[in-house]
Amino acid sequence: LPDNYIFFHQWFLDPVCLGHYPEDTLHPWYEYSADISEEDLKLIHQPIDFIGLNVYNGSEMIVPEDTNGEPLSPDTKIDFMPKYMGYPRTALKWPVTPGVMYWGPLVLNSRYGLPIIISENGQSCNDRIFLDGKVHDPDRIDFLHRYLLELKTAVEDGIPIKGYLHWSFTDNMEWHSGYDDRFGLVFIDYRNLARIPKDSAYWYSEVIRSNGESLNL
């Protein structure tokens, strides 16, 4: 894929890591990048130790090819692949796309040469206390299993992943929707602040204990 169309992250990371904004004349932000002074770019372009990447979902793209099967020039319009009817979604209606956990770190490390820390990853579910007093969240377990398998493959392929942080340990207030959406491994009953570890908490603890070996079971 042409570099300019793989992710939008380059508009934030290019000036930090490379000292300039992308030369993407078709992008609507391009005209504004010309207003950034050299003095500001020197302040923006500072040495950093790693890239922190929040990973939730991604979109496949349709890349036009020439007769030899090679991608056309960056000036060629590239469209998003439409999603099929009934595609998997979280409680927040975000698409479930595990492959982004592999391709995201791969592309950013290839472009900037820096190690990656997955600073957020997780799923909002319609969690509730069941009649047995427990919180069963198989959707979250399935989500994490798929994404962590992709992360495991990335590590095995030599992508320097230096850390992974699940979002989040407990249910919390989300900037998007207050207390309505639940991302935690531990359920919080907001009526009395009781903490109940969800099934995913026990599942994830085994992933940690086995250093990822349980993902292959």
Side-chain angles (χ1 to χ4, degrees), residues 53-87:
L53 185 61
N54 295 354
V55 180
Y56 290 97
N57 59 79
S59 296
E60 295 180 303
M61 307 186 100
I62 302 171
V63 182
E65 298 178 344
D66 62 21
T67 55
N68 297 318
E70 295 295 325
L72 296 180
S73 72
D75 293 333
T76 304
K77 178 177 173 56
I78 297 179
D79 293 318
F80 288 105
M81 180 80 74
K83 292 183 169 58
Y84 63 87
M85 186 68 68
Y87 66 89

Side-chain angles (χ1 to χ4, degrees), residues 126-197:
N126 293 313
D127 298 321
R128 63 184 182 275
I129 302 172
F130 282 65
L131 290 174
D132 61 3
K134 300 178 181 180
V135 179
H136 305 294
D137 56 344
D139 282 5
R140 180 173 290 107
I141 292 174
D142 181 77
F143 176 99
L144 291 175
H145 201 164
R146 293 173 187 271
Y147 277 68
L148 289 176
L149 280 173
E150 293 287 343
L151 186 65
K152 188 171 186 288
T153 301
V155 172
E156 291 170 349
D157 284 353
I159 302 171
I161 309 291
K162 297 302 183 181
Y164 171 89
L165 303 172
H166 176 268
W167 187 263
S168 56
F169 178 61
T170 66
D171 293 330
N172 64 291
M173 188 183 75
E174 292 290 329
W175 68 267
H176 177 275
S177 48
Y179 290 102
D180 283 341
D181 288 292
R182 296 179 179 272
F183 278 87
L185 297 172
V186 176
F187 183 92
I188 295 183
D189 188 335
Y190 296 122
R191 300 169 298 180
N192 54 30
L193 299 184
R195 270 70 165 167
I196 304 173

Side-chain angles (χ1 to χ4, degrees), residues 57-58 82-90 92-97:
N57 59 79
K83 292 183 169 58
Y84 63 87
M85 186 68 68
Y87 66 89
R89 283 168 282 190
T90 70
L92 266 174
K93 305 302 182 185
W94 295 353
V96 178
T97 57

